[in-house]
Amino acid sequence: MIRAERDGDVATITIDREERRNALNGDLCTVFTEALLEQQDARAVVVTGAGSVFCAGADLATRFGAGDGEGGTTDTFRPHFEVLLDAIVAHPAPVIAAVNGPAIGAGMQLCVACDLRIARPDTRLAIPGGRLGVLLSPTNVWRLALLVGHGLARDFLLTGREVSGEVAERLGLVQRLADDPLAAAHELAAHIASLAPLTVQGHKRALNAVTESLVLTDAARSELETLEAKVFASDDLAEGMAAFAEKRAPTFRGR
């Protein structure tokens, strides 16, 4: 489930699904988005996971449904996840990720969409799409490249590189380290909430506007969406999902 709590001007939203390592599905993304929209008057928002994991990514057990009769599959997760990430970016207040444990796949993408990230030094962050046969959306590739630079984005996406929180801080993916990220995030959120709210909101919107000026062209987005559709209709995706379920190494054939 998704828990939303309020302490004065600071809201905290927690992914509370420890039995699935806080993996997200489409329904949880929708609830998360609704919880975020209900906190539009907050001056800062903290996002975290229950227990010892931030978010293990998408719930692969339920992510893909039956195809449309043309050999593909239906992604029950991505449309809702994209709406959630857009809501985080568009929220008027800064959103802080308290990365209390592994942030893998969609979990790392969730971190990237936030304004600031505080992580445990020994946690793990990675986007292992290549081990599953999953392609990131154009927007999430764009966000990652803008945050960490093209060289590091290529390292994360082309090799599936996994880094600790300590390394992530050196790379600029994480802004601060803390043994207790949630406590540190609440402290930072309280500080932000004490600042002039119109100034903070204005600066966030200005930074978003600068980012949006570097938006993908329509032609590039169309090309990437075509590649995305090809990947999600591939035999390799089916093999990646089967290998994950069977706990074995996948054998990809590029088709």
Side-chain angles (χ1 to χ4, degrees):
M1 68 177 200
I2 302 296
R3 288 192 285 108
E5 302 164 286
R6 188 70 177 256
D7 182 8
D9 291 318
V10 176
T12 301
I13 299 178
T14 304
I15 307 168
D16 191 352
R17 200 184 181 209
E18 291 187 66
E19 73 282 3
R20 296 293 294 169
R21 294 176 57 79
N22 296 330
L24 289 168
N25 57 34
D27 289 342
L28 282 174
C29 287
T30 297
V31 175
F32 196 147
T33 301
E34 291 170 351
L36 194 63
L37 294 176
E38 290 172 358
Q39 303 295 336
Q40 292 293 291
D41 63 333
R43 294 191 181 186
V45 178
V46 174
V47 171
T48 194
S52 60
V53 177
F54 177 76
C55 176
D59 188 343
L60 298 180
T62 60
R63 176 168 184 170
F64 294 102
D68 57 7
E70 299 178 0
T73 57
T74 299
D75 189 344
T76 64
F77 171 73
R78 176 161 292 179
H80 306 282
F81 184 58
E82 295 295 322
V83 171
L84 169 59
L85 299 191
D86 287 346
I88 289 172
V89 172
H91 196 284
V95 180
I96 305 167
V99 189
N100 55 308
I104 308 299
M108 180 167 153
Q109 294 171 65
L110 180 64
C111 290
V112 169
C114 293
D115 297 289
L116 297 164
R117 289 147 290 277
I118 302 176
R120 284 177 54 93
D122 60 350
T123 196
R124 298 180 294 112
L125 300 98
I127 300 177
R131 294 200 289 272
L132 298 169
V134 174
L135 188 71
L136 265 68
S137 72
T139 300
N140 281 325
V141 173
W142 169 72
R143 284 190 184 119
L144 179 64
L146 287 177
L147 177 63
V148 301
H150 281 268
L152 286 171
R154 289 171 191 270
D155 202 358
F156 280 119
L157 298 182
L158 302 184
T159 73
R161 180 180 180 183
E162 180 180 292
V163 297
S164 66
E166 189 173 18
V167 171
E169 192 265 343
R170 291 204 301 269
L171 297 177
L173 174 59
V174 165
Q175 281 64 58
R176 306 181 188 200
L177 298 175
D179 291 331
D180 187 342
L182 183 57
H186 281 150
E187 182 178 353
L188 179 59
H191 168 70
I192 291 172
S194 74
L195 303 176
L198 295 181
T199 299
V200 174
Q201 292 170 15
H203 282 156
K204 174 169 178 173
R205 180 63 203 127
L207 288 164
N208 282 351
V210 169
T211 299
E212 289 161 8
S213 71
L214 303 172
V215 70
L216 291 166
T217 65
D218 289 342
R221 186 174 293 277
S222 177
E223 179 184 0
L224 293 177
E225 287 173 350
T226 299
L227 288 171
E228 185 179 4
K230 180 179 180 181
V231 166
F232 279 97
S234 70
D235 292 341
D236 277 353
L237 175 64
E239 166 63 8
M241 294 300 103
F244 177 82
E246 297 164 10
K247 296 184 169 68
R248 61 172 173 81
T251 301
F252 295 124
R253 305 186 184 281
R255 59 174 186 260

